[in-house]
Amino acid sequence: MLLGITGGSGCGTSTVGALLEKHGFYFVDADQVYRELLAEDHSLQQALASRFGDSILRDGTVDRKALAAIVFSDPAALADLNRITHAAIIAEVDRRIAAASEQHAAVEAIALIESGMADSCDAVVSVLCGFETRLARIMARDGLTEDAARARLNAQKADIFFIDNSDYVLTNDGSLQDLEKQVALMLAALHIQA
Protein backbone atom coordinates (compact mmCIF):
# COMPACT_ATOMS: atom_id res chain seq x y z
CA MET A 1 0.00 0.00 0.00
CA LEU A 2 1.32 3.42 -0.96
CA LEU A 3 -0.43 6.40 0.60
CA GLY A 4 0.07 9.88 -0.76
CA ILE A 5 -0.23 12.67 1.81
CA THR A 6 -0.81 16.25 0.76
CA GLY A 7 -2.29 19.53 1.91
CA GLY A 8 -1.24 23.12 2.28
CA SER A 9 1.87 24.25 4.08
CA GLY A 10 1.32 24.27 7.85
CA CYS A 11 -1.58 21.79 7.79
CA GLY A 12 0.38 18.96 9.42
CA THR A 13 1.16 16.62 6.55
CA SER A 14 4.54 15.73 8.07
CA THR A 15 2.83 15.03 11.39
CA VAL A 16 0.52 12.57 9.64
CA GLY A 17 3.58 10.97 8.05
CA ALA A 18 5.19 10.58 11.47
CA LEU A 19 1.99 9.00 12.80
CA LEU A 20 1.99 6.54 9.90
CA GLU A 21 5.61 5.66 10.70
CA LYS A 22 4.40 4.64 14.17
CA HIS A 23 2.01 2.27 12.41
CA GLY A 24 4.85 0.61 10.48
CA PHE A 25 4.83 2.67 7.29
CA TYR A 26 8.01 3.68 5.50
CA PHE A 27 7.66 7.47 5.22
CA VAL A 28 9.23 9.75 2.65
CA ASP A 29 8.96 13.52 3.02
CA ALA A 30 9.22 14.89 -0.53
CA ASP A 31 10.15 18.33 0.83
CA GLN A 32 13.14 16.76 2.60
CA VAL A 33 14.07 15.02 -0.65
CA TYR A 34 13.78 18.40 -2.39
CA ARG A 35 16.09 20.05 0.18
CA GLU A 36 18.65 17.26 -0.22
CA LEU A 37 18.55 17.53 -4.01
CA LEU A 38 19.02 21.32 -3.83
CA ALA A 39 22.14 20.73 -1.74
CA GLU A 40 23.58 17.74 -3.62
CA ASP A 41 22.30 17.54 -7.22
CA HIS A 42 24.56 19.79 -9.26
CA SER A 43 22.59 19.41 -12.50
CA LEU A 44 19.41 20.47 -10.70
CA GLN A 45 21.25 23.42 -9.14
CA GLN A 46 22.43 24.56 -12.56
CA ALA A 47 18.97 24.17 -14.11
CA LEU A 48 17.51 26.34 -11.35
CA ALA A 49 20.29 28.93 -11.65
CA SER A 50 19.71 29.09 -15.41
CA ARG A 51 16.06 29.96 -14.82
CA PHE A 52 16.24 32.07 -11.64
CA GLY A 53 19.78 33.50 -11.76
CA ASP A 54 23.03 32.80 -9.97
CA SER A 55 21.85 34.86 -6.98
CA ILE A 56 19.99 31.77 -5.73
CA LEU A 57 23.29 29.89 -5.35
CA ARG A 58 25.22 30.22 -2.12
CA ASP A 59 28.07 28.08 -0.74
CA GLY A 60 27.61 25.29 -3.29
CA THR A 61 23.88 24.88 -2.76
CA VAL A 62 20.60 26.58 -3.60
CA ASP A 63 19.57 29.25 -1.11
CA ARG A 64 15.98 28.17 -0.48
CA LYS A 65 14.95 31.52 1.03
CA ALA A 66 16.24 33.43 -2.00
CA LEU A 67 14.45 31.01 -4.32
CA ALA A 68 11.24 31.20 -2.27
CA ALA A 69 11.28 35.00 -2.40
CA ILE A 70 11.18 34.74 -6.19
CA VAL A 71 8.67 31.93 -6.70
CA PHE A 72 6.08 32.67 -4.03
CA SER A 73 5.42 36.14 -5.44
CA ASP A 74 5.22 35.05 -9.09
CA PRO A 75 2.90 32.22 -10.21
CA ALA A 76 4.81 31.75 -13.48
CA ALA A 77 8.09 31.39 -11.57
CA LEU A 78 6.49 28.86 -9.22
CA ALA A 79 5.26 26.87 -12.22
CA ASP A 80 8.78 26.90 -13.66
CA LEU A 81 10.25 25.73 -10.33
CA ASN A 82 7.80 22.85 -10.24
CA ARG A 83 8.48 21.93 -13.86
CA ILE A 84 12.22 21.81 -13.19
CA THR A 85 12.13 19.96 -9.86
CA HIS A 86 9.21 17.51 -9.94
CA ALA A 87 10.85 14.84 -12.13
CA ALA A 88 13.99 14.75 -9.98
CA ILE A 89 11.98 14.55 -6.76
CA ILE A 90 9.68 11.80 -8.05
CA ALA A 91 12.62 9.71 -9.25
CA GLU A 92 14.33 9.92 -5.85
CA VAL A 93 11.11 9.20 -3.93
CA ASP A 94 10.46 6.15 -6.13
CA ARG A 95 14.03 4.94 -5.57
CA ARG A 96 13.68 5.20 -1.78
CA ILE A 97 10.32 3.43 -1.68
CA ALA A 98 11.60 0.60 -3.91
CA ALA A 99 14.54 0.09 -1.54
CA ALA A 100 12.38 0.07 1.62
CA SER A 101 11.64 -3.16 3.43
CA GLU A 102 8.31 -2.10 4.98
CA GLN A 103 5.07 -3.50 3.57
CA HIS A 104 3.39 -0.09 3.43
CA ALA A 105 4.79 3.29 2.45
CA ALA A 106 3.61 6.88 2.56
CA VAL A 107 4.93 9.89 0.69
CA GLU A 108 4.15 13.44 1.77
CA ALA A 109 4.26 16.08 -0.94
CA ILE A 110 2.62 19.49 -1.13
CA ALA A 111 2.37 19.06 -4.92
CA LEU A 112 1.48 15.37 -4.83
CA ILE A 113 -1.48 15.80 -7.16
CA GLU A 114 -0.07 18.46 -9.50
CA SER A 115 3.23 16.62 -9.97
CA GLY A 116 1.55 13.38 -11.03
CA MET A 117 2.97 11.52 -8.03
CA ALA A 118 -0.59 10.81 -6.81
CA ASP A 119 -1.15 8.61 -9.86
CA SER A 120 1.11 5.92 -8.39
CA CYS A 121 -0.54 6.04 -4.94
CA ASP A 122 -3.18 3.57 -3.81
CA ALA A 123 -4.96 6.35 -1.89
CA VAL A 124 -4.53 10.10 -1.49
CA VAL A 125 -4.92 11.69 1.94
CA SER A 126 -5.28 15.44 2.33
CA VAL A 127 -4.60 17.19 5.63
CA LEU A 128 -6.42 20.49 6.08
CA CYS A 129 -6.74 23.18 8.74
CA GLY A 130 -7.77 26.81 9.04
CA PHE A 131 -5.81 29.60 7.36
CA GLU A 132 -4.88 31.41 10.57
CA THR A 133 -3.61 28.17 12.13
CA ARG A 134 -1.50 27.52 9.05
CA LEU A 135 -0.21 31.09 9.09
CA ALA A 136 0.91 30.86 12.72
CA ARG A 137 2.52 27.45 12.18
CA ILE A 138 4.63 28.41 9.18
CA MET A 139 5.67 31.72 10.70
CA ALA A 140 6.96 29.84 13.75
CA ARG A 141 8.40 26.91 11.79
CA ASP A 142 10.13 28.85 9.02
CA GLY A 143 10.85 32.14 10.77
CA LEU A 144 8.81 34.08 8.21
CA THR A 145 7.24 37.49 8.57
CA GLU A 146 3.46 37.55 8.41
CA ASP A 147 3.56 39.10 4.92
CA ALA A 148 5.95 36.42 3.63
CA ALA A 149 3.88 33.66 5.21
CA ARG A 150 0.66 35.06 3.71
CA ALA A 151 2.29 35.26 0.27
CA ARG A 152 3.38 31.64 0.55
CA LEU A 153 -0.07 30.45 1.62
CA ASN A 154 -1.85 32.55 -1.01
CA ALA A 155 0.30 30.92 -3.71
CA GLN A 156 -1.03 27.48 -2.74
CA LYS A 157 -4.15 25.61 -3.76
CA ALA A 158 -7.46 26.19 -1.98
CA ASP A 159 -8.88 23.49 0.31
CA ILE A 160 -11.49 22.51 -2.27
CA PHE A 161 -8.71 21.37 -4.63
CA PHE A 162 -7.45 18.92 -2.01
CA ILE A 163 -10.95 17.75 -1.08
CA ASP A 164 -11.86 17.10 -4.71
CA ASN A 165 -8.67 15.13 -5.38
CA SER A 166 -8.45 13.00 -2.24
CA ASP A 167 -9.74 9.67 -1.05
CA TYR A 168 -9.48 10.75 2.62
CA VAL A 169 -9.47 14.19 4.28
CA LEU A 170 -8.06 14.70 7.78
CA THR A 171 -8.73 17.92 9.69
CA ASN A 172 -5.85 19.12 11.86
CA ASP A 173 -7.31 22.03 13.82
CA GLY A 174 -7.48 20.12 17.11
CA SER A 175 -5.07 18.21 19.30
CA LEU A 176 -2.52 15.62 18.26
CA GLN A 177 -4.78 13.01 19.88
CA ASP A 178 -7.63 14.08 17.58
CA LEU A 179 -5.36 13.67 14.57
CA GLU A 180 -4.15 10.26 15.82
CA LYS A 181 -7.79 9.09 16.04
CA GLN A 182 -8.46 10.23 12.47
CA VAL A 183 -5.37 8.39 11.22
CA ALA A 184 -6.45 5.20 13.05
CA LEU A 185 -9.95 5.43 11.53
CA MET A 186 -8.47 5.92 8.06
CA LEU A 187 -6.21 2.90 8.47
CA ALA A 188 -9.17 0.83 9.62
CA ALA A 189 -11.12 1.93 6.52
CA LEU A 190 -8.14 0.85 4.41
CA HIS A 191 -8.06 -2.52 6.25
CA ILE A 192 -4.58 -1.85 7.58
CA GLN A 193 -4.04 -3.06 11.12
CA ALA A 194 -2.86 -0.23 13.33
Side-chain angles (χ1 to χ4, degrees):
M1 166 76 60
L2 175 59
L3 291 182
I5 306 166
T6 192
S9 184
C11 284
T13 54
S14 296
T15 302
V16 169
L19 292 172
L20 289 170
E21 277 186 310
K22 290 182 179 180
H23 290 284
F25 277 71
Y26 175 72
F27 175 61
V28 180
D29 178 341
D31 190 49
Q32 179 62 37
V33 170
Y34 168 70
R35 288 191 296 270
E36 292 171 12
L37 290 173
L38 289 182
E40 300 165 6
D41 186 327
H42 297 295
S43 62
L44 181 61
Q45 292 170 357
Q46 290 308 309
L48 291 170
S50 292
R51 166 57 181 89
F52 300 108
D54 288 336
S55 65
I56 66 162
L57 298 177
R58 187 162 291 120
D59 300 325
T61 188
V62 174
D63 180 337
R64 290 177 46 236
K65 286 188 177 183
L67 183 58
I70 296 168
V71 302
F72 288 119
S73 62
D74 179 352
L78 182 59
D80 287 345
L81 173 67
N82 291 338
R83 180 184 48 77
I84 294 166
T85 60
H86 283 169
I89 294 166
I90 291 170
E92 180 60 17
V93 166
D94 288 347
R95 185 194 68 74
R96 292 180 186 196
I97 290 171
S101 60
E102 290 83 352
Q103 181 181 4
H104 304 296
V107 59
E108 178 270 324
I110 196 166
L112 182 85
I113 298 159
E114 307 92 301
S115 69
M117 199 180 313
D119 297 340
S120 61
C121 296
D122 296 301
V124 173
V125 181
S126 285
V127 185
L128 304 178
C129 70
F131 186 88
E132 294 302 319
T133 301
R134 294 174 63 199
L135 185 68
R137 286 177 181 168
I138 71 167
M139 286 172 61
R141 180 191 70 199
D142 298 338
L144 297 175
T145 65
E146 184 173 339
D147 287 344
R150 283 186 185 279
R152 184 173 294 185
L153 293 181
N154 288 332
Q156 296 178 5
K157 302 285 186 191
D159 287 355
I160 193 67
F161 171 81
F162 296 109
I163 293 166
D164 288 347
N165 289 285
S166 298
D167 300 294
Y168 298 92
V169 175
L170 307 178
T171 304
N172 188 22
D173 280 317
S175 69
L176 180 59
Q177 292 76 20
D178 292 337
L179 188 60
E180 288 172 334
K181 288 176 188 174
Q182 291 178 68
V183 168
L185 288 171
M186 177 188 67
L187 292 177
L190 289 166
H191 306 292
I192 297 172
Q193 290 186 346

